[in-house]
Amino acid sequence: MRQEKRSDEIKNRRKESGNGAGLGRDCAVLCAEPKTAGPDQDIVLSKWIALEGTARLAKRHYEKLRERFPRRILDEAAAFDRYLPVEPEAATAMKSGVCGMHGIFHGGIFAGLWEMAQEAGVGLEADLRKIPVRQETIEICEVLGENPYELPSGGCLIMTAGNGNALVAALEREGIPAVMIGRTTKGNDRVLYNKGHKRYLDKPRTDRNYKEMEEKTG
């Protein structure tokens, strides 16, 4: 019963975003049918995580951060919202063998991966060190005490494909940074590896926690 309720919550947020893949209203024309992952597929991420959250933090705490960082770094971070549209990678992926696509709603990349696997009924194994994150994000999060893996990550699209290397190559040909971070599995375990250490992805935080994060990032 709890699993069904969680799946319904995920689907409702996807509907609110404009289409089944959760890519935003502007992508509806690209994804008339939902793209859902399956087992034994490569997991590919576009661009970088935490772009949306970093831009918000840089703008909201600009003066405080100026005590630690040059203006050029903060101006660059504040402009990360230019990366938020995912229409280009969605369009390229649709022509390049994509099996599943999942936009990241709240809770950052950890929540996005968990929700993608939950909705598809699969497990996953991913390498934390391969998850792409900008240096500006790391430094701003360190000063403000935030976790980059839990920041709003609009602009980063989770995709799965039978041949992740081919999908990455297709995206890069279009000038879109992309990287393969792991694979989906037939079980239910959602596992992250970091330098040989193994940890399980936790169920995403509640909507109340999401609201608190939204308030913190502005």
Coordinates of all heavy atoms in Angstrom, one line a residue, residues 147-213:
N147 N 23.9 20.2 1.0 CA 24.3 19.0 0.3 C 24.0 19.1 -1.2 O 22.8 19.2 -1.6 CB 23.5 17.8 0.9 CG 24.0 16.4 0.3 OD1 24.6 16.4 -0.8 ND2 23.7 15.4 1.0
P148 N 25.0 19.1 -2.1 CA 24.7 19.3 -3.5 C 23.8 18.2 -4.1 O 23.1 18.4 -5.1 CB 26.1 19.3 -4.1 CG 27.0 18.7 -3.1 CD 26.4 19.0 -1.8
Y149 N 23.9 17.0 -3.5 CA 23.1 15.9 -4.0 C 21.6 16.0 -3.6 O 20.8 15.2 -4.1 CB 23.7 14.6 -3.5 CG 25.1 14.4 -4.0 CD1 26.2 14.7 -3.1 CD2 25.5 14.0 -5.3 CE1 27.5 14.6 -3.5 CE2 26.8 13.9 -5.7 CZ 27.8 14.2 -4.8 OH 29.1 14.1 -5.2
E150 N 21.3 17.0 -2.8 CA 19.9 17.2 -2.4 C 19.3 18.5 -2.9 O 18.2 18.8 -2.6 CB 19.7 17.0 -0.9 CG 20.1 15.6 -0.4 CD 19.9 15.5 1.1 OE1 19.7 16.5 1.8 OE2 19.9 14.4 1.6
L151 N 20.1 19.3 -3.6 CA 19.7 20.6 -4.1 C 18.8 20.4 -5.3 O 18.9 19.4 -6.1 CB 20.8 21.4 -4.5 CG 21.7 22.1 -3.4 CD1 22.7 23.0 -4.1 CD2 20.8 22.9 -2.5
P152 N 17.8 21.3 -5.5 CA 17.0 21.3 -6.8 C 17.9 21.2 -8.0 O 18.9 21.9 -8.1 CB 16.2 22.6 -6.7 CG 16.1 22.9 -5.3 CD 17.4 22.4 -4.7
S153 N 17.6 20.2 -8.9 CA 18.5 19.9 -10.0 C 17.8 20.0 -11.3 O 18.0 19.2 -12.2 CB 19.1 18.5 -9.8 OG 20.0 18.5 -8.8
G154 N 16.9 21.0 -11.5 CA 16.4 21.3 -12.8 C 17.5 21.6 -13.8 O 18.5 22.2 -13.4
G155 N 17.4 21.1 -15.0 CA 18.4 21.2 -16.0 C 19.3 20.0 -16.2 O 20.0 19.8 -17.2
C156 N 19.1 19.0 -15.2 CA 19.8 17.7 -15.3 C 18.8 16.7 -15.6 O 17.8 16.5 -14.8 CB 20.6 17.4 -14.0 SG 21.4 15.8 -14.0
L157 N 18.9 15.9 -16.7 CA 17.9 14.9 -17.1 C 18.5 13.5 -16.9 O 19.6 13.3 -17.3 CB 17.6 15.1 -18.5 CG 16.5 14.3 -19.1 CD1 15.1 14.5 -18.4 CD2 16.3 14.6 -20.6
I158 N 17.7 12.7 -16.2 CA 18.1 11.3 -16.0 C 17.6 10.5 -17.2 O 16.4 10.5 -17.5 CB 17.6 10.7 -14.7 CG1 18.0 11.5 -13.5 CG2 18.0 9.2 -14.6 CD1 17.3 11.1 -12.2
M159 N 18.4 9.8 -17.9 CA 18.0 8.9 -19.0 C 18.6 7.5 -18.9 O 19.6 7.3 -18.2 CB 18.6 9.6 -20.3 CG 18.0 10.9 -20.6 SD 19.0 11.9 -21.8 CE 20.3 12.5 -20.8
T160 N 17.9 6.6 -19.4 CA 18.4 5.2 -19.5 C 18.4 4.7 -20.9 O 17.5 5.2 -21.7 CB 17.6 4.2 -18.6 OG1 16.2 4.2 -19.1 CG2 17.5 4.7 -17.2
A161 N 19.3 3.9 -21.2 CA 19.4 3.4 -22.6 C 20.2 2.0 -22.6 O 20.9 1.7 -21.7 CB 20.2 4.4 -23.5
G162 N 19.9 1.2 -23.6 CA 20.6 0.0 -23.8 C 22.0 0.2 -24.0 O 22.9 -0.7 -23.6
N163 N 22.4 1.2 -24.7 CA 23.8 1.6 -25.0 C 24.0 3.0 -24.6 O 23.8 4.0 -25.3 CB 24.1 1.4 -26.5 CG 25.5 1.6 -26.9 OD1 26.3 2.2 -26.1 ND2 26.0 1.1 -28.0
G164 N 24.5 3.1 -23.3 CA 24.7 4.5 -22.7 C 25.8 5.2 -23.4 O 25.7 6.5 -23.6
N165 N 26.8 4.5 -23.8 CA 27.9 5.2 -24.5 C 27.5 5.9 -25.8 O 27.9 7.0 -26.1 CB 29.1 4.2 -24.8 CG 29.8 3.8 -23.5 OD1 30.0 4.6 -22.6 ND2 30.2 2.6 -23.5
A166 N 26.6 5.2 -26.5 CA 26.1 5.8 -27.8 C 25.2 7.0 -27.5 O 25.3 8.0 -28.2 CB 25.3 4.7 -28.6
L167 N 24.4 6.9 -26.4 CA 23.6 8.1 -26.1 C 24.5 9.3 -25.6 O 24.2 10.4 -26.1 CB 22.6 7.7 -25.0 CG 21.7 8.8 -24.4 CD1 20.9 9.4 -25.6 CD2 20.8 8.2 -23.3
V168 N 25.5 9.0 -24.8 CA 26.4 10.1 -24.4 C 27.0 10.7 -25.7 O 27.1 11.9 -25.8 CB 27.5 9.5 -23.5 CG1 28.6 10.5 -23.3 CG2 26.9 9.2 -22.1
A169 N 27.5 9.9 -26.6 CA 28.1 10.4 -27.8 C 27.2 11.3 -28.6 O 27.6 12.3 -29.1 CB 28.7 9.2 -28.7
A170 N 25.9 10.8 -28.7 CA 24.9 11.6 -29.5 C 24.7 13.0 -28.8 O 24.6 14.0 -29.5 CB 23.6 10.8 -29.6
L171 N 24.6 13.0 -27.5 CA 24.4 14.2 -26.8 C 25.6 15.2 -26.9 O 25.4 16.4 -27.2 CB 24.1 14.0 -25.3 CG 22.8 13.3 -25.0 CD1 22.8 12.7 -23.6 CD2 21.6 14.3 -25.2
E172 N 26.8 14.6 -26.8 CA 28.0 15.4 -26.9 C 28.2 16.0 -28.3 O 28.7 17.1 -28.5 CB 29.2 14.6 -26.5 CG 29.2 14.3 -25.0 CD 30.4 13.5 -24.6 OE1 31.1 12.9 -25.4 OE2 30.8 13.6 -23.4
R173 N 27.7 15.3 -29.3 CA 27.8 15.8 -30.7 C 26.9 17.1 -30.8 O 27.2 17.9 -31.7 CB 27.3 14.8 -31.7 CG 28.4 13.7 -32.0 CD 28.0 12.9 -33.3 NE 26.8 12.2 -33.1 CZ 26.7 10.9 -32.7 NH1 27.8 10.3 -32.3 NH2 25.6 10.3 -32.6
E174 N 25.9 17.2 -30.0 CA 25.0 18.3 -30.0 C 25.5 19.4 -29.0 O 24.8 20.4 -28.8 CB 23.6 17.9 -29.7 CG 22.9 17.0 -30.7 CD 22.9 17.5 -32.1 OE1 22.6 18.8 -32.2 OE2 23.1 16.8 -33.0
G175 N 26.6 19.2 -28.4 CA 27.2 20.2 -27.5 C 26.6 20.1 -26.1 O 26.7 21.0 -25.3
I176 N 26.0 18.9 -25.8 CA 25.4 18.7 -24.5 C 26.2 17.8 -23.6 O 26.4 16.6 -23.9 CB 24.0 18.1 -24.6 CG1 23.1 19.0 -25.5 CG2 23.3 17.9 -23.2 CD1 21.8 18.3 -25.9
P177 N 26.8 18.3 -22.5 CA 27.6 17.4 -21.7 C 26.7 16.3 -21.1 O 25.6 16.5 -20.7 CB 28.0 18.4 -20.5 CG 27.9 19.7 -21.1 CD 26.7 19.7 -22.0
A178 N 27.3 15.1 -21.1 CA 26.6 13.9 -20.6 C 27.6 12.9 -20.1 O 28.7 12.9 -20.5 CB 25.7 13.3 -21.6
V179 N 27.1 12.1 -19.1 CA 28.0 11.1 -18.6 C 27.2 9.9 -18.1 O 26.0 10.0 -17.7 CB 28.8 11.6 -17.4 CG1 27.9 12.0 -16.2 CG2 29.9 10.6 -16.9
M180 N 27.8 8.7 -18.2 CA 27.1 7.5 -17.8 C 27.6 7.2 -16.4 O 28.7 7.2 -16.1 CB 27.5 6.3 -18.7 CG 26.7 5.0 -18.4 SD 26.8 3.8 -19.8 CE 28.6 3.5 -19.7
I181 N 26.6 7.0 -15.4 CA 26.9 6.9 -14.0 C 26.7 5.5 -13.4 O 27.0 5.2 -12.3 CB 26.2 7.9 -13.2 CG1 24.7 7.7 -13.2 CG2 26.5 9.3 -13.6 CD1 24.0 8.4 -12.1
G182 N 26.0 4.6 -14.2 CA 25.7 3.3 -13.7 C 24.7 2.6 -14.5 O 24.5 2.9 -15.7
R183 N 24.0 1.6 -13.9 CA 23.0 0.8 -14.6 C 21.8 0.5 -13.7 O 21.9 0.5 -12.5 CB 23.6 -0.6 -15.0 CG 24.6 -0.5 -16.2 CD 25.1 -1.8 -16.6 NE 24.0 -2.7 -17.1 CZ 23.5 -2.7 -18.3 NH1 23.9 -1.8 -19.2 NH2 22.6 -3.6 -18.7
T184 N 20.7 0.3 -14.4 CA 19.5 -0.3 -13.7 C 19.7 -1.8 -13.5 O 20.4 -2.4 -14.3 CB 18.2 0.1 -14.4 OG1 18.3 -0.5 -15.8 CG2 18.0 1.5 -14.6
T185 N 19.0 -2.3 -12.5 CA 19.1 -3.7 -12.2 C 17.7 -4.4 -12.1 O 16.7 -3.6 -12.0 CB 19.8 -4.0 -10.9 OG1 19.1 -3.4 -9.8 CG2 21.2 -3.4 -11.0
K186 N 17.6 -5.7 -12.0 CA 16.4 -6.4 -12.0 C 15.8 -6.4 -10.5 O 14.6 -6.7 -10.3 CB 16.5 -7.8 -12.5 CG 16.8 -7.8 -14.0 CD 17.0 -9.3 -14.5 CE 17.2 -9.3 -16.0 NZ 17.4 -10.7 -16.5
G187 N 16.6 -6.2 -9.5 CA 16.1 -6.2 -8.2 C 15.5 -4.9 -7.7 O 15.1 -4.0 -8.6
N188 N 15.4 -4.7 -6.4 CA 14.8 -3.5 -5.9 C 15.8 -2.6 -5.2 O 15.4 -1.5 -4.8 CB 13.6 -3.8 -4.9 CG 12.4 -4.4 -5.6 OD1 12.0 -3.9 -6.7 ND2 11.9 -5.5 -5.1
D189 N 17.0 -3.1 -5.0 CA 18.0 -2.3 -4.3 C 18.5 -1.1 -5.1 O 18.7 -1.2 -6.3 CB 19.2 -3.1 -4.0 CG 18.9 -4.2 -2.9 OD1 17.8 -4.1 -2.2 OD2 19.7 -5.2 -2.8
R190 N 18.5 0.1 -4.5 CA 19.1 1.3 -5.2 C 20.4 1.6 -4.5 O 20.4 2.1 -3.4 CB 18.1 2.4 -5.1 CG 16.8 2.2 -6.0 CD 15.7 1.6 -5.2 NE 14.7 1.0 -6.1 CZ 13.4 1.3 -6.0 NH1 12.9 2.0 -5.0 NH2 12.5 0.7 -6.8
V191 N 21.5 1.3 -5.1 CA 22.8 1.3 -4.5 C 23.7 2.4 -5.1 O 23.8 2.5 -6.3 CB 23.5 -0.1 -4.6 CG1 24.8 -0.1 -3.8 CG2 22.5 -1.1 -4.0
L192 N 24.4 3.1 -4.2 CA 25.5 4.0 -4.6 C 26.8 3.5 -4.1 O 26.9 3.0 -3.0 CB 25.2 5.4 -4.0 CG 24.2 6.3 -4.6 CD1 24.0 7.6 -3.8 CD2 24.5 6.6 -6.1
Y193 N 27.8 3.6 -5.0 CA 29.2 3.2 -4.6 C 30.1 4.4 -4.6 O 29.9 5.3 -5.4 CB 29.7 2.2 -5.6 CG 29.0 0.8 -5.5 CD1 28.0 0.5 -6.4 CD2 29.4 -0.1 -4.6 CE1 27.3 -0.7 -6.3 CE2 28.8 -1.4 -4.5 CZ 27.7 -1.6 -5.4 OH 27.1 -2.9 -5.3
N194 N 30.9 4.5 -3.6 CA 31.9 5.6 -3.5 C 33.2 5.1 -2.9 O 33.3 4.8 -1.7 CB 31.3 6.7 -2.5 CG 32.2 7.9 -2.4 OD1 33.0 8.1 -3.3 ND2 32.0 8.7 -1.4
K195 N 34.2 5.0 -3.8 CA 35.5 4.5 -3.4 C 35.4 3.1 -2.7 O 36.1 2.9 -1.7 CB 36.2 5.5 -2.6 CG 36.5 6.8 -3.2 CD 37.2 7.8 -2.3 CE 37.5 9.1 -3.0 NZ 38.2 10.1 -2.1
G196 N 34.6 2.2 -3.2 CA 34.5 0.9 -2.7 C 33.5 0.8 -1.6 O 33.1 -0.3 -1.2
H197 N 33.0 1.9 -1.1 CA 32.0 1.8 0.0 C 30.6 1.8 -0.7 O 30.3 2.5 -1.7 CB 32.1 3.1 0.9 CG 33.4 3.1 1.7 ND1 33.6 2.3 2.7 CD2 34.5 3.9 1.5 CE1 34.8 2.5 3.2 NE2 35.4 3.5 2.5
K198 N 29.7 1.1 0.0 CA 28.3 0.8 -0.6 C 27.3 1.4 0.4 O 27.4 1.3 1.6 CB 28.1 -0.7 -0.7 CG 26.7 -1.1 -1.2 CD 26.7 -2.6 -1.2 CE 25.3 -3.1 -1.7 NZ 25.3 -4.6 -1.7
R199 N 26.4 2.2 -0.2 CA 25.2 2.7 0.6 C 24.0 2.6 -0.3 O 24.0 2.6 -1.5 CB 25.5 4.2 1.0 CG 25.6 5.1 -0.2 CD 25.4 6.6 0.2 NE 24.0 6.9 0.5 CZ 23.5 8.1 0.7 NH1 24.3 9.1 0.7 NH2 22.2 8.3 0.9
Y200 N 22.8 2.6 0.4 CA 21.6 2.5 -0.2 C 20.9 3.8 -0.3 O 21.0 4.6 0.7 CB 20.6 1.5 0.5 CG 21.1 0.1 0.4 CD1 22.0 -0.5 1.3 CD2 20.7 -0.8 -0.7 CE1 22.5 -1.8 1.3 CE2 21.2 -2.1 -0.8 CZ 22.0 -2.6 0.2 OH 22.5 -3.9 0.1
L201 N 20.3 4.1 -1.4 CA 19.5 5.4 -1.5 C 18.3 5.3 -0.6 O 17.6 4.3 -0.6 CB 19.0 5.6 -3.0 CG 20.1 6.1 -4.0 CD1 19.4 6.1 -5.4 CD2 20.5 7.5 -3.6
D202 N 18.1 6.4 0.1 CA 16.9 6.5 1.0 C 15.7 7.0 0.2 O 15.8 7.7 -0.8 CB 17.2 7.4 2.1 CG 18.3 7.0 3.0 OD1 18.4 5.7 3.2 OD2 19.1 7.8 3.5
K203 N 14.6 6.6 0.7 CA 13.3 7.2 0.2 C 13.4 8.7 0.3 O 13.8 9.2 1.3 CB 12.1 6.6 1.0 CG 10.8 7.2 0.6 CD 9.7 6.6 1.4 CE 8.3 7.2 1.1 NZ 7.2 6.6 1.9
P204 N 13.0 9.4 -0.8 CA 13.0 10.9 -0.8 C 12.2 11.4 0.4 O 11.3 10.8 0.9 CB 12.4 11.2 -2.1 CG 12.6 10.1 -3.0 CD 12.5 8.9 -2.1
R205 N 12.6 12.6 0.8 CA 12.0 13.3 1.9 C 10.6 13.7 1.6 O 10.1 13.7 0.4 CB 12.8 14.6 2.3 CG 14.2 14.2 2.7 CD 15.0 15.4 3.2 NE 15.2 16.4 2.1 CZ 15.7 17.6 2.3 NH1 16.1 17.9 3.5 NH2 15.9 18.4 1.3
T206 N 9.8 14.1 2.6 CA 8.4 14.4 2.4 C 8.2 15.7 1.7 O 9.2 16.5 1.6 CB 7.7 14.4 3.8 OG1 8.3 15.5 4.5 CG2 7.9 13.2 4.6
D207 N 7.0 16.0 1.3 CA 6.7 17.3 0.7 C 7.0 18.5 1.6 O 7.4 19.5 1.2 CB 5.3 17.3 0.2 CG 5.0 16.4 -1.0 OD1 6.0 16.2 -1.7 OD2 3.9 16.0 -1.2
R208 N 6.8 18.2 2.9 CA 7.1 19.3 3.9 C 8.6 19.6 3.8 O 9.0 20.8 3.9 CB 6.7 18.9 5.3 CG 7.0 19.9 6.4 CD 6.6 19.4 7.7 NE 6.9 20.4 8.7 CZ 6.7 20.3 10.0 NH1 6.1 19.1 10.5 NH2 7.0 21.2 10.9
N209 N 9.5 18.6 3.8 CA 10.9 18.8 3.7 C 11.2 19.5 2.4 O 12.1 20.4 2.3 CB 11.7 17.5 3.7 CG 11.5 16.8 5.1 OD1 11.2 15.6 5.2 ND2 11.7 17.6 6.1
Y210 N 10.5 19.2 1.3 CA 10.8 19.8 0.0 C 10.5 21.3 0.1 O 11.2 22.1 -0.4 CB 9.9 19.2 -1.1 CG 10.3 17.8 -1.5 CD1 9.3 16.9 -1.8 CD2 11.6 17.4 -1.5 CE1 9.6 15.6 -2.2 CE2 11.9 16.0 -1.9 CZ 10.9 15.2 -2.2 OH 11.2 13.9 -2.5
K211 N 9.4 21.6 0.8 CA 9.0 23.0 0.9 C 10.0 23.8 1.7 O 10.4 24.9 1.4 CB 7.6 23.1 1.6 CG 7.1 24.5 1.7 CD 5.7 24.6 2.4 CE 5.2 26.0 2.5 NZ 3.9 26.1 3.1
E212 N 10.6 23.2 2.7 CA 11.6 23.8 3.5 C 12.9 24.1 2.7 O 13.5 25.1 2.8 CB 12.0 22.9 4.7 CG 10.9 22.9 5.8 CD 11.2 21.9 6.9 OE1 12.3 21.2 6.8 OE2 10.4 21.8 7.8
M213 N 13.2 23.1 1.8 CA 14.4 23.3 0.9 C 14.1 24.4 -0.1 O 15.0 25.3 -0.3 CB 14.7 22.0 0.2 CG 15.8 22.2 -0.8 SD 17.4 22.7 -0.1 CE 17.9 21.2 0.7

